[in-house]
Amino acid sequence: MSDFDYDLFVIGGGSGGVRAARVAAAQGAKVALAEESRMGGTCVIRGCVPKKLMVFASGYREGFSEARAYGWDVQDGDFQWPTFRDRLNSELDRLEGVYRTLLDGSGVEIFDGRAVLSDAHTIQVNGEAKTAKHVLLATGGRPTRPDMPNADLGIVSDDIFHLDALPKRLLIIGGGYIACEFACIMAGLGVEVTQFYRGAQILRGFDDEARGLIAEMMREQGIDLRLGTNIVEMAPASEDHTLSWTGTDSDAAMGAAVQDLEALRHDASTTGPIWVKATNGQEGVFDRVLFATGRTPNTDGLGLEEIGVKVGRRGEVEVDEYSQTGVPSIYAIGDVTNRVNLTPVAIREGMAFVETVFKGNPTPVDHDLIPSAVFTQPEYGTVGMTEEEARDQEEIEVYCTSFRPMQTAFAGKPWRVLMKLIVAKSNRKILGCHIVAPNAGEMIQLAGVAVKMGATKEDFDRTVAVHPTMSEEIVTMKEPMRTA
Ligand code: NDP
């Protein structure tokens, strides 16, 4: 008989925590899980799932004109945000219910409340002290705003799904996944989007050519993308804020925005329209400002440092390759560890934890060659190294093609796609695969299998093309575009 109330107490009911709890319970462990908010966590409730549904919603806009080019007699429609949002909320309620049912069905005891550690084996939750042989921290992360006056006038990604109305004019700050995805989503839904990114090109860390094409395609969609630009001041807009951007294409729009303050107030949140000053001195008024300026691990107030769990400079729980902290009974997985902040990785980390702790099979987490997608329009699917990383490591050949895909070219659309392979000269292995194209997320999942298996360029060449598709180009690129 165990001296503890539970074999495992999981703090956090996101994808990683729920999976670990269920799999441990299936091994016969007595498991509890505490969640202070909604079951499902970032991915299900305020991240991947609602975001992807918004990607689908926004994708229809182009569909109307494309359909006309293909002979359909259809008119452009108006997007009804409340209709979509209410359906979205019902779907999230359903998914939350599914998560709870799965936990119940696995015999996991659920605590709806905030859990805090008081020692290496004791958790305080809902006014009770519970003990556990092992504790798994899976508390995820949260969006952060820059440290500047009036930053609370802006919204963060969590807030988007609850808006009363879509903004007419939205300013997005940041150039990462969330900023670029929401820029495309909102533009697709008919919002006038301006995006400030402080760096020289969006999506830092991804392949340069892919980033360049995505930025161009975003501009083509009407997104006013300003690079090397950041926000320096923001305040509630007043009638005195009559200045608009100068020397830019959007002068007219911004001038109109300021004169039309009452209309903006009508659309805007409780905060009302927001005046913004940029690093280049230009000013403008928006009815929403979205900060997509990164996320911070949820480690505050959990009692971690008090009991000896090390927390790093960015607020992340420090763990070893088995997700174990310096306190042997305490493990951590997912975004709270700030390793690779992706849902499927958190799930893998949770499974490896169960394998290690409950199956007696020490399993380090494999963080190598993780395929992923950025759901911009077009999407970006990527696995392995960027050209820039690879050429620093060894001699490479770069195979690359960019073209207008058949479906949208027929409709007279300017959209281009990019297919790119980075090949090691020494052993011909594919070091990186980058696809910017509609549904690139679906394509890269499959290319990821080949790359993970160690496929060579010749393996790709031996594979017969599926014709006519966009992705056939990935097996038909004959000559390297360059070597480096
Ligand atoms: P990112 O870290 O990807 O991007 C943050 C952006 O904000 C960067 O462009 C950064 O600039 C900028 N920034 C940071 N601080 C400031 C500041 N003070 N002023 C102005 N700009 C600032 O974070 P996200 O929030 O976009 O995404 C978080 C994580 O969530 C991602 O890393 C990813 O792992 C995950 N995610 C995955 C998705 C997917 O798989 N499709 C979708 C969404 C999120 P700089 O580059 O100069 O640092």
Side-chain angles (χ1 to χ4, degrees), residues 10-14 16-17 34-36 41-42 46 114-117 135-142 295-300 302 304 315 317 331-337:
V10 179
I11 305 181
E35 168 58 59
E36 64 178 336
T42 302
R46 58 192 86 84
R114 181 169 174 78
V116 175
L117 285 159
V135 176
L136 181 65
L137 302 167
T139 50
R142 62 183 186 284
R295 297 176 60 86
T296 303
N298 282 327
T299 44
D300 293 351
L302 288 175
L304 299 181
V317 175
Y331 288 73
I333 57 162
D335 289 8
V336 76
T337 62

PDB file of all heavy atoms in Angstrom, residues 10-14 16-17 34-36 41-42 46 114-117 135-142 295-300 302 304 315 317 331-337:
ATOM      1  N   VAL A  10      -1.053  15.280 -11.498  1.00  0.00           N
ATOM      2  CA  VAL A  10      -0.717  16.124 -12.652  1.00  0.00           C
ATOM      3  C   VAL A  10      -1.299  17.513 -12.406  1.00  0.00           C
ATOM      4  O   VAL A  10      -2.480  17.644 -12.081  1.00  0.00           O
ATOM      5  CB  VAL A  10      -1.313  15.535 -13.953  1.00  0.00           C
ATOM      6  CG1 VAL A  10      -0.972  16.432 -15.144  1.00  0.00           C
ATOM      7  CG2 VAL A  10      -0.807  14.120 -14.188  1.00  0.00           C
ATOM      8  N   ILE A  11      -0.473  18.529 -12.570  1.00  0.00           N
ATOM      9  CA  ILE A  11      -0.983  19.909 -12.461  1.00  0.00           C
ATOM     10  C   ILE A  11      -1.064  20.485 -13.868  1.00  0.00           C
ATOM     11  O   ILE A  11      -0.040  20.712 -14.523  1.00  0.00           O
ATOM     12  CB  ILE A  11      -0.074  20.780 -11.568  1.00  0.00           C
ATOM     13  CG1 ILE A  11       0.109  20.116 -10.193  1.00  0.00           C
ATOM     14  CG2 ILE A  11      -0.681  22.171 -11.414  1.00  0.00           C
ATOM     15  CD1 ILE A  11       0.976  20.917  -9.228  1.00  0.00           C
ATOM     16  N   GLY A  12      -2.282  20.664 -14.342  1.00  0.00           N
ATOM     17  CA  GLY A  12      -2.483  21.227 -15.689  1.00  0.00           C
ATOM     18  C   GLY A  12      -3.209  20.247 -16.595  1.00  0.00           C
ATOM     19  O   GLY A  12      -2.724  19.133 -16.814  1.00  0.00           O
ATOM     20  N   GLY A  13      -4.369  20.675 -17.107  1.00  0.00           N
ATOM     21  CA  GLY A  13      -5.192  19.790 -17.942  1.00  0.00           C
ATOM     22  C   GLY A  13      -5.140  20.147 -19.408  1.00  0.00           C
ATOM     23  O   GLY A  13      -6.162  20.151 -20.091  1.00  0.00           O
ATOM     24  N   GLY A  14      -3.945  20.441 -19.908  1.00  0.00           N
ATOM     25  CA  GLY A  14      -3.767  20.648 -21.351  1.00  0.00           C
ATOM     26  C   GLY A  14      -3.467  19.314 -22.021  1.00  0.00           C
ATOM     27  O   GLY A  14      -3.540  18.247 -21.390  1.00  0.00           O
ATOM     28  N   GLY A  16      -0.738  17.807 -22.960  1.00  0.00           N
ATOM     29  CA  GLY A  16       0.341  16.984 -22.393  1.00  0.00           C
ATOM     30  C   GLY A  16      -0.071  16.369 -21.071  1.00  0.00           C
ATOM     31  O   GLY A  16       0.096  15.155 -20.855  1.00  0.00           O
ATOM     32  N   GLY A  17      -0.639  17.173 -20.186  1.00  0.00           N
ATOM     33  CA  GLY A  17      -1.020  16.689 -18.857  1.00  0.00           C
ATOM     34  C   GLY A  17      -2.099  15.630 -18.926  1.00  0.00           C
ATOM     35  O   GLY A  17      -2.033  14.598 -18.249  1.00  0.00           O
ATOM     36  N   ALA A  34      -5.260  18.321 -11.596  1.00  0.00           N
ATOM     37  CA  ALA A  34      -5.895  19.602 -11.242  1.00  0.00           C
ATOM     38  C   ALA A  34      -5.786  20.569 -12.409  1.00  0.00           C
ATOM     39  O   ALA A  34      -4.728  20.681 -13.043  1.00  0.00           O
ATOM     40  CB  ALA A  34      -5.224  20.198 -10.012  1.00  0.00           C
ATOM     41  N   GLU A  35      -6.901  21.261 -12.691  1.00  0.00           N
ATOM     42  CA  GLU A  35      -6.908  22.286 -13.745  1.00  0.00           C
ATOM     43  C   GLU A  35      -7.684  23.487 -13.204  1.00  0.00           C
ATOM     44  O   GLU A  35      -8.826  23.337 -12.761  1.00  0.00           O
ATOM     45  CB  GLU A  35      -7.550  21.733 -15.023  1.00  0.00           C
ATOM     46  CG  GLU A  35      -7.877  22.761 -16.079  1.00  0.00           C
ATOM     47  CD  GLU A  35      -6.678  23.586 -16.552  1.00  0.00           C
ATOM     48  OE1 GLU A  35      -5.706  22.999 -17.046  1.00  0.00           O
ATOM     49  OE2 GLU A  35      -6.722  24.829 -16.402  1.00  0.00           O
ATOM     50  N   GLU A  36      -7.058  24.653 -13.262  1.00  0.00           N
ATOM     51  CA  GLU A  36      -7.717  25.832 -12.676  1.00  0.00           C
ATOM     52  C   GLU A  36      -8.644  26.522 -13.676  1.00  0.00           C
ATOM     53  O   GLU A  36      -9.487  27.319 -13.294  1.00  0.00           O
ATOM     54  CB  GLU A  36      -6.677  26.830 -12.164  1.00  0.00           C
ATOM     55  CG  GLU A  36      -5.811  27.416 -13.241  1.00  0.00           C
ATOM     56  CD  GLU A  36      -4.827  28.452 -12.696  1.00  0.00           C
ATOM     57  OE1 GLU A  36      -5.090  29.033 -11.643  1.00  0.00           O
ATOM     58  OE2 GLU A  36      -3.796  28.661 -13.368  1.00  0.00           O
ATOM     59  N   GLY A  41      -6.756  23.002 -22.071  1.00  0.00           N
ATOM     60  CA  GLY A  41      -5.566  23.857 -22.112  1.00  0.00           C
ATOM     61  C   GLY A  41      -5.476  24.744 -23.339  1.00  0.00           C
ATOM     62  O   GLY A  41      -6.463  24.956 -24.065  1.00  0.00           O
ATOM     63  N   THR A  42      -4.285  25.248 -23.563  1.00  0.00           N
ATOM     64  CA  THR A  42      -4.075  26.230 -24.629  1.00  0.00           C
ATOM     65  C   THR A  42      -4.515  25.704 -25.983  1.00  0.00           C
ATOM     66  O   THR A  42      -5.264  26.358 -26.717  1.00  0.00           O
ATOM     67  CB  THR A  42      -2.592  26.645 -24.692  1.00  0.00           C
ATOM     68  OG1 THR A  42      -2.215  27.179 -23.434  1.00  0.00           O
ATOM     69  CG2 THR A  42      -2.353  27.668 -25.781  1.00  0.00           C
ATOM     70  N   ARG A  46      -7.802  27.753 -26.383  1.00  0.00           N
ATOM     71  CA  ARG A  46      -7.434  29.119 -26.811  1.00  0.00           C
ATOM     72  C   ARG A  46      -6.216  29.136 -27.731  1.00  0.00           C
ATOM     73  O   ARG A  46      -5.487  30.112 -27.764  1.00  0.00           O
ATOM     74  CB  ARG A  46      -7.222  30.017 -25.586  1.00  0.00           C
ATOM     75  CG  ARG A  46      -6.166  29.539 -24.614  1.00  0.00           C
ATOM     76  CD  ARG A  46      -6.195  30.289 -23.294  1.00  0.00           C
ATOM     77  NE  ARG A  46      -7.153  29.671 -22.393  1.00  0.00           N
ATOM     78  CZ  ARG A  46      -6.868  28.614 -21.614  1.00  0.00           C
ATOM     79  NH1 ARG A  46      -5.660  28.099 -21.587  1.00  0.00           N
ATOM     80  NH2 ARG A  46      -7.788  28.079 -20.838  1.00  0.00           N
ATOM     81  N   ARG A 114      -6.929  25.512  -8.540  1.00  0.00           N
ATOM     82  CA  ARG A 114      -5.500  25.777  -8.689  1.00  0.00           C
ATOM     83  C   ARG A 114      -4.720  24.926  -7.694  1.00  0.00           C
ATOM     84  O   ARG A 114      -5.035  24.912  -6.503  1.00  0.00           O
ATOM     85  CB  ARG A 114      -5.230  27.261  -8.441  1.00  0.00           C
ATOM     86  CG  ARG A 114      -3.775  27.630  -8.596  1.00  0.00           C
ATOM     87  CD  ARG A 114      -3.588  29.133  -8.598  1.00  0.00           C
ATOM     88  NE  ARG A 114      -2.175  29.478  -8.594  1.00  0.00           N
ATOM     89  CZ  ARG A 114      -1.383  29.431  -9.662  1.00  0.00           C
ATOM     90  NH1 ARG A 114      -1.893  29.063 -10.830  1.00  0.00           N
ATOM     91  NH2 ARG A 114      -0.118  29.758  -9.575  1.00  0.00           N
ATOM     92  N   ALA A 115      -3.719  24.244  -8.178  1.00  0.00           N
ATOM     93  CA  ALA A 115      -2.875  23.415  -7.314  1.00  0.00           C
ATOM     94  C   ALA A 115      -1.534  24.105  -7.108  1.00  0.00           C
ATOM     95  O   ALA A 115      -0.984  24.689  -8.038  1.00  0.00           O
ATOM     96  CB  ALA A 115      -2.663  22.048  -7.963  1.00  0.00           C
ATOM     97  N   VAL A 116      -1.049  24.035  -5.869  1.00  0.00           N
ATOM     98  CA  VAL A 116       0.235  24.650  -5.524  1.00  0.00           C
ATOM     99  C   VAL A 116       1.024  23.627  -4.721  1.00  0.00           C
ATOM    100  O   VAL A 116       0.460  22.903  -3.900  1.00  0.00           O
ATOM    101  CB  VAL A 116      -0.005  25.937  -4.675  1.00  0.00           C
ATOM    102  CG1 VAL A 116       1.309  26.526  -4.196  1.00  0.00           C
ATOM    103  CG2 VAL A 116      -0.795  26.965  -5.475  1.00  0.00           C
ATOM    104  N   LEU A 117       2.321  23.566  -4.970  1.00  0.00           N
ATOM    105  CA  LEU A 117       3.152  22.596  -4.246  1.00  0.00           C
ATOM    106  C   LEU A 117       3.591  23.177  -2.901  1.00  0.00           C
ATOM    107  O   LEU A 117       3.995  24.338  -2.828  1.00  0.00           O
ATOM    108  CB  LEU A 117       4.392  22.276  -5.077  1.00  0.00           C
ATOM    109  CG  LEU A 117       4.121  21.354  -6.274  1.00  0.00           C
ATOM    110  CD1 LEU A 117       5.214  21.493  -7.314  1.00  0.00           C
ATOM    111  CD2 LEU A 117       4.007  19.919  -5.809  1.00  0.00           C
ATOM    112  N   VAL A 135       4.904  14.040  -9.056  1.00  0.00           N
ATOM    113  CA  VAL A 135       4.114  15.197  -9.484  1.00  0.00           C
ATOM    114  C   VAL A 135       4.560  15.549 -10.904  1.00  0.00           C
ATOM    115  O   VAL A 135       5.768  15.563 -11.192  1.00  0.00           O
ATOM    116  CB  VAL A 135       4.348  16.405  -8.553  1.00  0.00           C
ATOM    117  CG1 VAL A 135       3.602  17.644  -9.073  1.00  0.00           C
ATOM    118  CG2 VAL A 135       3.909  16.082  -7.129  1.00  0.00           C
ATOM    119  N   LEU A 136       3.593  15.795 -11.775  1.00  0.00           N
ATOM    120  CA  LEU A 136       3.923  16.215 -13.139  1.00  0.00           C
ATOM    121  C   LEU A 136       3.389  17.627 -13.361  1.00  0.00           C
ATOM    122  O   LEU A 136       2.174  17.860 -13.281  1.00  0.00           O
ATOM    123  CB  LEU A 136       3.295  15.261 -14.159  1.00  0.00           C
ATOM    124  CG  LEU A 136       3.604  15.601 -15.615  1.00  0.00           C
ATOM    125  CD1 LEU A 136       5.097  15.446 -15.928  1.00  0.00           C
ATOM    126  CD2 LEU A 136       2.776  14.717 -16.562  1.00  0.00           C
ATOM    127  N   LEU A 137       4.309  18.545 -13.625  1.00  0.00           N
ATOM    128  CA  LEU A 137       3.913  19.924 -13.930  1.00  0.00           C
ATOM    129  C   LEU A 137       3.642  20.020 -15.424  1.00  0.00           C
ATOM    130  O   LEU A 137       4.524  19.733 -16.245  1.00  0.00           O
ATOM    131  CB  LEU A 137       5.036  20.892 -13.567  1.00  0.00           C
ATOM    132  CG  LEU A 137       5.495  20.877 -12.106  1.00  0.00           C
ATOM    133  CD1 LEU A 137       6.805  21.650 -11.970  1.00  0.00           C
ATOM    134  CD2 LEU A 137       4.415  21.496 -11.224  1.00  0.00           C
ATOM    135  N   ALA A 138       2.430  20.412 -15.763  1.00  0.00           N
ATOM    136  CA  ALA A 138       2.068  20.560 -17.191  1.00  0.00           C
ATOM    137  C   ALA A 138       1.192  21.803 -17.296  1.00  0.00           C
ATOM    138  O   ALA A 138       0.085  21.763 -17.828  1.00  0.00           O
ATOM    139  CB  ALA A 138       1.340  19.311 -17.673  1.00  0.00           C
ATOM    140  N   THR A 139       1.707  22.900 -16.763  1.00  0.00           N
ATOM    141  CA  THR A 139       0.887  24.110 -16.599  1.00  0.00           C
ATOM    142  C   THR A 139       0.946  25.049 -17.801  1.00  0.00           C
ATOM    143  O   THR A 139       0.300  26.099 -17.786  1.00  0.00           O
ATOM    144  CB  THR A 139       1.325  24.880 -15.331  1.00  0.00           C
ATOM    145  OG1 THR A 139       2.747  25.039 -15.375  1.00  0.00           O
ATOM    146  CG2 THR A 139       0.959  24.131 -14.060  1.00  0.00           C
ATOM    147  N   GLY A 140       1.738  24.693 -18.815  1.00  0.00           N
ATOM    148  CA  GLY A 140       1.714  25.461 -20.056  1.00  0.00           C
ATOM    149  C   GLY A 140       2.300  26.858 -19.938  1.00  0.00           C
ATOM    150  O   GLY A 140       3.172  27.129 -19.104  1.00  0.00           O
ATOM    151  N   GLY A 141       1.808  27.742 -20.804  1.00  0.00           N
ATOM    152  CA  GLY A 141       2.309  29.122 -20.822  1.00  0.00           C
ATOM    153  C   GLY A 141       1.172  30.075 -21.086  1.00  0.00           C
ATOM    154  O   GLY A 141       0.016  29.666 -21.260  1.00  0.00           O
ATOM    155  N   ARG A 142       1.518  31.345 -21.103  1.00  0.00           N
ATOM    156  CA  ARG A 142       0.483  32.367 -21.345  1.00  0.00           C
ATOM    157  C   ARG A 142       1.077  33.469 -22.205  1.00  0.00           C
ATOM    158  O   ARG A 142       2.292  33.711 -22.167  1.00  0.00           O
ATOM    159  CB  ARG A 142      -0.030  32.934 -20.033  1.00  0.00           C
ATOM    160  CG  ARG A 142       1.039  33.628 -19.223  1.00  0.00           C
ATOM    161  CD  ARG A 142       0.542  34.128 -17.871  1.00  0.00           C
ATOM    162  NE  ARG A 142       1.571  34.912 -17.203  1.00  0.00           N
ATOM    163  CZ  ARG A 142       2.634  34.412 -16.590  1.00  0.00           C
ATOM    164  NH1 ARG A 142       2.821  33.108 -16.551  1.00  0.00           N
ATOM    165  NH2 ARG A 142       3.521  35.195 -16.024  1.00  0.00           N
ATOM    166  N   ARG A 295       5.298  34.142 -25.436  1.00  0.00           N
ATOM    167  CA  ARG A 295       4.582  33.496 -24.332  1.00  0.00           C
ATOM    168  C   ARG A 295       5.554  33.198 -23.201  1.00  0.00           C
ATOM    169  O   ARG A 295       6.741  33.038 -23.434  1.00  0.00           O
ATOM    170  CB  ARG A 295       3.904  32.202 -24.829  1.00  0.00           C
ATOM    171  CG  ARG A 295       2.841  32.471 -25.886  1.00  0.00           C
ATOM    172  CD  ARG A 295       2.246  31.177 -26.446  1.00  0.00           C
ATOM    173  NE  ARG A 295       1.601  30.367 -25.427  1.00  0.00           N
ATOM    174  CZ  ARG A 295       0.340  30.512 -25.032  1.00  0.00           C
ATOM    175  NH1 ARG A 295      -0.436  31.414 -25.614  1.00  0.00           N
ATOM    176  NH2 ARG A 295      -0.158  29.746 -24.099  1.00  0.00           N
ATOM    177  N   THR A 296       5.008  33.136 -21.988  1.00  0.00           N
ATOM    178  CA  THR A 296       5.825  32.890 -20.799  1.00  0.00           C
ATOM    179  C   THR A 296       5.323  31.633 -20.102  1.00  0.00           C
ATOM    180  O   THR A 296       4.106  31.458 -19.961  1.00  0.00           O
ATOM    181  CB  THR A 296       5.671  34.082 -19.810  1.00  0.00           C
ATOM    182  OG1 THR A 296       6.054  35.254 -20.506  1.00  0.00           O
ATOM    183  CG2 THR A 296       6.537  33.919 -18.587  1.00  0.00           C
ATOM    184  N   PRO A 297       6.230  30.774 -19.656  1.00  0.00           N
ATOM    185  CA  PRO A 297       5.790  29.570 -18.939  1.00  0.00           C
ATOM    186  C   PRO A 297       5.028  29.922 -17.659  1.00  0.00           C
ATOM    187  O   PRO A 297       5.359  30.901 -16.986  1.00  0.00           O
ATOM    188  CB  PRO A 297       7.110  28.864 -18.596  1.00  0.00           C
ATOM    189  CG  PRO A 297       8.102  29.409 -19.567  1.00  0.00           C
ATOM    190  CD  PRO A 297       7.685  30.838 -19.827  1.00  0.00           C
ATOM    191  N   ASN A 298       4.023  29.114 -17.342  1.00  0.00           N
ATOM    192  CA  ASN A 298       3.214  29.354 -16.134  1.00  0.00           C
ATOM    193  C   ASN A 298       3.875  28.718 -14.924  1.00  0.00           C
ATOM    194  O   ASN A 298       3.555  27.575 -14.553  1.00  0.00           O
ATOM    195  CB  ASN A 298       1.810  28.758 -16.320  1.00  0.00           C
ATOM    196  CG  ASN A 298       0.931  29.624 -17.188  1.00  0.00           C
ATOM    197  OD1 ASN A 298       1.058  30.853 -17.176  1.00  0.00           O
ATOM    198  ND2 ASN A 298       0.054  29.001 -17.946  1.00  0.00           N
ATOM    199  N   THR A 299       4.784  29.449 -14.310  1.00  0.00           N
ATOM    200  CA  THR A 299       5.455  28.916 -13.116  1.00  0.00           C
ATOM    201  C   THR A 299       5.233  29.796 -11.890  1.00  0.00           C
ATOM    202  O   THR A 299       5.583  29.393 -10.785  1.00  0.00           O
ATOM    203  CB  THR A 299       6.976  28.776 -13.364  1.00  0.00           C
ATOM    204  OG1 THR A 299       7.455  29.954 -14.015  1.00  0.00           O
ATOM    205  CG2 THR A 299       7.296  27.575 -14.217  1.00  0.00           C
ATOM    206  N   ASP A 300       4.639  30.985 -12.101  1.00  0.00           N
ATOM    207  CA  ASP A 300       4.469  31.903 -10.957  1.00  0.00           C
ATOM    208  C   ASP A 300       3.538  31.309  -9.909  1.00  0.00           C
ATOM    209  O   ASP A 300       2.486  30.765 -10.243  1.00  0.00           O
ATOM    210  CB  ASP A 300       3.860  33.236 -11.413  1.00  0.00           C
ATOM    211  CG  ASP A 300       4.803  34.014 -12.308  1.00  0.00           C
ATOM    212  OD1 ASP A 300       5.975  33.598 -12.415  1.00  0.00           O
ATOM    213  OD2 ASP A 300       4.356  35.014 -12.898  1.00  0.00           O
ATOM    214  N   LEU A 302       3.510  28.779  -7.998  1.00  0.00           N
ATOM    215  CA  LEU A 302       3.265  27.335  -7.850  1.00  0.00           C
ATOM    216  C   LEU A 302       4.065  26.744  -6.686  1.00  0.00           C
ATOM    217  O   LEU A 302       3.967  25.551  -6.407  1.00  0.00           O
ATOM    218  CB  LEU A 302       3.654  26.577  -9.130  1.00  0.00           C
ATOM    219  CG  LEU A 302       2.757  26.747 -10.346  1.00  0.00           C
ATOM    220  CD1 LEU A 302       3.354  26.018 -11.551  1.00  0.00           C
ATOM    221  CD2 LEU A 302       1.356  26.201 -10.058  1.00  0.00           C
ATOM    222  N   LEU A 304       7.319  26.558  -6.624  1.00  0.00           N
ATOM    223  CA  LEU A 304       8.424  25.752  -7.165  1.00  0.00           C
ATOM    224  C   LEU A 304       9.767  26.078  -6.529  1.00  0.00           C
ATOM    225  O   LEU A 304      10.471  25.183  -6.037  1.00  0.00           O
ATOM    226  CB  LEU A 304       8.521  25.942  -8.687  1.00  0.00           C
ATOM    227  CG  LEU A 304       7.279  25.507  -9.462  1.00  0.00           C
ATOM    228  CD1 LEU A 304       7.478  25.723 -10.950  1.00  0.00           C
ATOM    229  CD2 LEU A 304       6.990  24.035  -9.173  1.00  0.00           C
ATOM    230  N   GLY A 315      11.482  31.949 -16.981  1.00  0.00           N
ATOM    231  CA  GLY A 315      10.366  31.432 -16.185  1.00  0.00           C
ATOM    232  C   GLY A 315      10.094  29.962 -16.427  1.00  0.00           C
ATOM    233  O   GLY A 315       9.087  29.418 -15.955  1.00  0.00           O
ATOM    234  N   VAL A 317      10.555  25.801 -16.228  1.00  0.00           N
ATOM    235  CA  VAL A 317      11.026  24.777 -15.303  1.00  0.00           C
ATOM    236  C   VAL A 317      12.206  24.071 -15.966  1.00  0.00           C
ATOM    237  O   VAL A 317      12.110  23.644 -17.122  1.00  0.00           O
ATOM    238  CB  VAL A 317       9.909  23.754 -14.994  1.00  0.00           C
ATOM    239  CG1 VAL A 317      10.440  22.626 -14.122  1.00  0.00           C
ATOM    240  CG2 VAL A 317       8.746  24.442 -14.316  1.00  0.00           C
ATOM    241  N   TYR A 331       8.419  16.173 -12.077  1.00  0.00           N
ATOM    242  CA  TYR A 331       8.722  16.205 -13.511  1.00  0.00           C
ATOM    243  C   TYR A 331       7.937  17.360 -14.148  1.00  0.00           C
ATOM    244  O   TYR A 331       6.976  17.860 -13.569  1.00  0.00           O
ATOM    245  CB  TYR A 331       8.299  14.889 -14.166  1.00  0.00           C
ATOM    246  CG  TYR A 331       9.180  13.704 -13.804  1.00  0.00           C
ATOM    247  CD1 TYR A 331       9.123  13.122 -12.540  1.00  0.00           C
ATOM    248  CD2 TYR A 331      10.069  13.160 -14.725  1.00  0.00           C
ATOM    249  CE1 TYR A 331       9.930  12.037 -12.207  1.00  0.00           C
ATOM    250  CE2 TYR A 331      10.874  12.069 -14.397  1.00  0.00           C
ATOM    251  CZ  TYR A 331      10.806  11.517 -13.146  1.00  0.00           C
ATOM    252  OH  TYR A 331      11.604  10.451 -12.827  1.00  0.00           O
ATOM    253  N   ALA A 332       8.346  17.750 -15.338  1.00  0.00           N
ATOM    254  CA  ALA A 332       7.608  18.804 -16.047  1.00  0.00           C
ATOM    255  C   ALA A 332       7.657  18.541 -17.550  1.00  0.00           C
ATOM    256  O   ALA A 332       8.693  18.114 -18.083  1.00  0.00           O
ATOM    257  CB  ALA A 332       8.194  20.179 -15.735  1.00  0.00           C
ATOM    258  N   ILE A 333       6.546  18.791 -18.206  1.00  0.00           N
ATOM    259  CA  ILE A 333       6.442  18.602 -19.664  1.00  0.00           C
ATOM    260  C   ILE A 333       5.730  19.792 -20.304  1.00  0.00           C
ATOM    261  O   ILE A 333       5.026  20.543 -19.630  1.00  0.00           O
ATOM    262  CB  ILE A 333       5.666  17.310 -20.023  1.00  0.00           C
ATOM    263  CG1 ILE A 333       4.265  17.336 -19.390  1.00  0.00           C
ATOM    264  CG2 ILE A 333       6.433  16.069 -19.626  1.00  0.00           C
ATOM    265  CD1 ILE A 333       3.306  16.347 -20.017  1.00  0.00           C
ATOM    266  N   GLY A 334       5.913  19.921 -21.608  1.00  0.00           N
ATOM    267  CA  GLY A 334       5.159  20.915 -22.377  1.00  0.00           C
ATOM    268  C   GLY A 334       5.730  22.318 -22.259  1.00  0.00           C
ATOM    269  O   GLY A 334       6.890  22.519 -21.899  1.00  0.00           O
ATOM    270  N   ASP A 335       4.879  23.295 -22.561  1.00  0.00           N
ATOM    271  CA  ASP A 335       5.337  24.691 -22.681  1.00  0.00           C
ATOM    272  C   ASP A 335       5.951  25.222 -21.390  1.00  0.00           C
ATOM    273  O   ASP A 335       6.749  26.164 -21.446  1.00  0.00           O
ATOM    274  CB  ASP A 335       4.166  25.608 -23.073  1.00  0.00           C
ATOM    275  CG  ASP A 335       3.705  25.410 -24.509  1.00  0.00           C
ATOM    276  OD1 ASP A 335       4.189  24.462 -25.154  1.00  0.00           O
ATOM    277  OD2 ASP A 335       2.854  26.190 -24.969  1.00  0.00           O
ATOM    278  N   VAL A 336       5.590  24.636 -20.242  1.00  0.00           N
ATOM    279  CA  VAL A 336       6.153  25.150 -18.990  1.00  0.00           C
ATOM    280  C   VAL A 336       7.665  24.908 -18.929  1.00  0.00           C
ATOM    281  O   VAL A 336       8.371  25.562 -18.171  1.00  0.00           O
ATOM    282  CB  VAL A 336       5.415  24.535 -17.768  1.00  0.00           C
ATOM    283  CG1 VAL A 336       5.846  23.086 -17.519  1.00  0.00           C
ATOM    284  CG2 VAL A 336       5.642  25.383 -16.522  1.00  0.00           C
ATOM    285  N   THR A 337       8.148  23.995 -19.788  1.00  0.00           N
ATOM    286  CA  THR A 337       9.597  23.750 -19.830  1.00  0.00           C
ATOM    287  C   THR A 337      10.276  24.550 -20.944  1.00  0.00           C
ATOM    288  O   THR A 337      11.502  24.535 -21.051  1.00  0.00           O
ATOM    289  CB  THR A 337       9.904  22.250 -20.049  1.00  0.00           C
ATOM    290  OG1 THR A 337       9.371  21.849 -21.325  1.00  0.00           O
ATOM    291  CG2 THR A 337       9.304  21.392 -18.952  1.00  0.00           C
TER     292      THR A 337
END
